[in-house]
Structure formats: C-alpha cells, structure tokens
Amino acid sequence: MELEIIQNNIIHPTSIIGDKVILGNGNYIGPNCLIYNGVEIGNNNRFESNVIIGSNAEHRDYFKEQSNFSVKIGNGNIFREFVTINAGTFRNTEVQNNVIMLRGSHLGHDVIVEDKVTLSCNVLIGGESYVMEGVNCGLGAVVHQYSILGAYAMIGMNSTITKKALVHPGETWVGSPA
C-alpha cells in the first residue's frame, strides 16, 4: 500500500474520507481513519490511526440519522490513535488551532475547543461543553456535558468535573468529583 498525496495531503489508502469533506493543505491522515461528510479541516493537521471525525452525535435524537451540522477543525492540530469527535446537533463541533488530543480522547456533540488545549489519553468531554484556550486535562479526566473550562485551567488525572462545577480561568481541579 502506498500513501496517496492529494492537494499536498498525505492520506493512507485504508482511510475513508467522505465526499463532501473540505480538506486544507499539508494534512496527514493515517491508517483506518474515518472522516464523515461535511467535516471541514484546515491545514497542517495530523490524524494518527483509527481516528473518527464527524460521526453521529451520541444523543438519543441522532442515533439513527445525521444532523445538519458536522465538525470544523482549524490548523496545526494533532489527533492521536482512537480519537473520536462527534458531529454537532445545533452547531458544528469545533476544534480550533494547535490542539493536542491524545489516544482515546473524545469530544461529544456541539463541543467547542479553543486554541492550545491539551487533552491527555482517555479524556472525555461531554456534549455542549466549552473548553477555553490553553486548558490541560490530565489522563482519564471526565467532563460533564454543558461544562465550561476556563482558559488555562488544569484538570488533574482521573478527575471528574460535575455539572455544578465552575472551572474559572487558571484554576487547578483534582479529585472525583473534583
């Protein structure tokens, strides 16, 4: 199998790219990735193996059908193995620029992730959450849906952010619940 170069993008032959995907330049899409129709991807992103972008929202109204919204990804992001990002239900799920999502991390529907965020292995961000610039989530952190994580906050390893937590900019949260 040879890597295919399309518009200065390197795409592994086992990956599946939907017909209506908008793909910038300089992206690497590794083995067995699946990018659904309607996804928009900027420039210089790296998708390692088995990344799934734009799948149906994990929301009871969208288990059987796709919404009219998808996923928008900016520039210079890294998505490691087995990352999943669900399509939006009332707006696009969005990952801005220079974000790192490590192995097994997940973004639910309608999540917005600002610039320079790091989500370590197995971090789960529930639907309709907002993750502000520079947030760092440690290994296995779990964030309840509808949460807002303030800029440059640190969520500790194995910590759980519950629906009543108010994570202000620059704060460090640890524990389960945090």
Side-chain angles (χ1 to χ4, degrees), residues 48-64:
E48 297 296 343
S49 63
N50 301 292
V51 172
I52 299 175
I53 308 292
S55 54
N56 286 0
E58 292 178 341
H59 182 291
R60 70 173 49 254
D61 294 340
Y62 298 93
F63 288 146
K64 294 181 182 177

Side-chain angles (χ1 to χ4, degrees), residues 25 33 58 116 140-141 156 161 174:
N25 293 304
C33 291
E58 292 178 341
K116 298 182 259 177
I161 301 300
V174 295

Side-chain angles (χ1 to χ4, degrees), residues 89-120:
T89 61
F90 67 91
R91 66 176 176 220
N92 286 333
T93 301
E94 184 176 337
V95 176
Q96 293 180 358
N97 303 305
N98 302 308
V99 171
I100 298 171
M101 292 182 67
L102 297 181
R103 185 203 30 84
S105 55
H106 170 75
L107 297 180
H109 61 87
D110 306 294
V111 170
I112 295 176
V113 177
E114 289 186 349
D115 297 344
K116 298 182 259 177
V117 167
T118 300
L119 303 179
S120 294

Side-chain angles (χ1 to χ4, degrees), residues 13-26:
T14 60
S15 288
I16 299 172
I17 312 292
D19 292 334
K20 296 178 183 175
V21 169
I22 297 172
L23 190 58
N25 293 304

Side-chain angles (χ1 to χ4, degrees), residues 9-143:
N9 294 294
I10 298 172
I11 302 172
H12 194 276
T14 60
S15 288
I16 299 172
I17 312 292
D19 292 334
K20 296 178 183 175
V21 169
I22 297 172
L23 190 58
N25 293 304
N27 296 293
Y28 169 81
I29 300 173
N32 303 311
C33 291
L34 178 55
I35 301 175
Y36 282 77
N37 285 335
V39 171
E40 295 181 31
I41 298 173
N43 302 316
N44 303 313
N45 295 289
R46 186 165 184 92
F47 300 85
E48 297 296 343
S49 63
N50 301 292
V51 172
I52 299 175
I53 308 292
S55 54
N56 286 0
E58 292 178 341
H59 182 291
R60 70 173 49 254
D61 294 340
Y62 298 93
F63 288 146
K64 294 181 182 177
E65 62 183 65
Q66 188 78 19
S67 75
N68 292 327
F69 298 95
S70 189
V71 176
K72 184 174 182 180
I73 294 174
N75 304 312
N77 300 295
I78 298 172
F79 303 96
R80 293 301 308 257
E81 300 82 5
F82 301 103
V83 164
T84 56
I85 302 176
N86 291 155
T89 61
F90 67 91
R91 66 176 176 220
N92 286 333
T93 301
E94 184 176 337
V95 176
Q96 293 180 358
N97 303 305
N98 302 308
V99 171
I100 298 171
M101 292 182 67
L102 297 181
R103 185 203 30 84
S105 55
H106 170 75
L107 297 180
H109 61 87
D110 306 294
V111 170
I112 295 176
V113 177
E114 289 186 349
D115 297 344
K116 298 182 259 177
V117 167
T118 300
L119 303 179
S120 294
C121 297
N122 297 326
V123 169
L124 307 176
I125 307 291
E128 300 183 43
S129 292
Y130 195 98
V131 182
M132 293 182 176
E133 181 175 333
V135 167
N136 189 334
C137 291
L139 294 166
V142 177
V143 177

